């Protein structure tokens, strides 16, 4: 398949409806998780130009192997914090609560982890398989209230299409 992304302009829904089949084509038939996560980040970043797009994956904690924490995975954007504990920040809260979180103003989210001082709003979508959270997709924007129910709908569709 072609590795060029077709970038379009239009409403948010139109953009996702153009992008999602392209993302599905990119990951179709590719069993390697890292490769797929990397291309999903690149496709979202290229189309939307958000500040930061990336994955945190549930892994064994370095300090206590019996515990788990989120560890930085494939991403696009500025360097980010490497490990996040359950219940910490937006990512750790989305993991703990097994649900997508939309934060219109990160300054109003208690415990928000500021990897970049430029980040103003955020959406975190958990990757859930058989009732277990395996990781999260985290997207940050320099604009306030960048993300809404439309992003939630389509980002959840992308996450559910990932072979985990
Ligand atoms: N802001 C996130 C941390 C990850 S960075 O934004 C890339 C949080 O509060 O969980």
């Amino acid at each position: 398949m072609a590795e060029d992304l077709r970038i379009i302009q239009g409403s948010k829904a139109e953009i996702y409806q153009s992008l999602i089949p392209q993302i599905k084509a990119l990951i179709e038939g590719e069993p390697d998780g890292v490769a797929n996560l990397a291309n999903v980040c690149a496709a979202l970043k290229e189309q939307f130009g958000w500040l930061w797009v990336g994955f945190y994956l549930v892994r064994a904690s370095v300090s206590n192997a019996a515990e788990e924490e989120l560890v930085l995975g494939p991403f696009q954007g500025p360097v980010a914090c490497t490990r996040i504990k359950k219940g910490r920040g937006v990512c750790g809260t989305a993991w703990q609560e097994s649900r997508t979180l939309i934060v219109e103003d990160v300054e109003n989210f208690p415990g928000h982890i500021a990897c970049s001082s430029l980040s103003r709003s955020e959406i975190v979508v958990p990757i859930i398989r058989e009732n277990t959270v395996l990781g999260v997709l985290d997207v940050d924007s320099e604009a306030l209230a960048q993300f809404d129910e439309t992003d939630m709908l389509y980002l959840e569709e992308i996450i559910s299409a990932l072979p985990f």
Side-chain angles (χ1 to χ4, degrees), residues 17 32 38 42 64 98 104:
Q17 284 161 16
D32 189 90
N64 179 354
S98 293
E104 294 192 344

Side-chain angles (χ1 to χ4, degrees), residues 52-54 56 70 72 75 78-81 84 88-93 106 109 111-116 119 122 124 138-140:
W52 198 91
V53 182
Y56 282 91
L70 291 172
L72 185 63
F75 72 97
V79 292
C81 49
I84 298 173
R88 298 287 305 278
V90 187
C91 291
T93 305
V106 296
F109 188 94
H112 168 258
I113 301 165
C115 290
S116 165
S119 175
E122 182 165 355
V124 177
D138 179 19
V139 185
D140 289 23

Side-chain angles (χ1 to χ4, degrees), residues 19 31 45-46 51 62 74 88 122-123 130-132 154 164:
L19 187 61
K45 175 85 171 155
E46 191 178 346
L51 173 67
V62 268
R88 298 287 305 278
E122 182 165 355
I123 184 169
E130 295 173 358
N131 295 320
T132 301
Y154 289 109
F164 256 87

Side-chain angles (χ1 to χ4, degrees), residues 55-87:
F55 289 91
Y56 282 91
L57 302 172
V58 175
R59 296 284 183 256
S61 160
V62 268
S63 51
N64 179 354
E67 284 183 9
E68 292 180 320
E69 57 194 3
L70 291 172
V71 181
L72 185 63
F75 72 97
Q76 296 256 327
V79 292
C81 49
T82 315
R83 289 175 182 268
I84 298 173
K85 293 205 180 297
K86 199 173 206 173

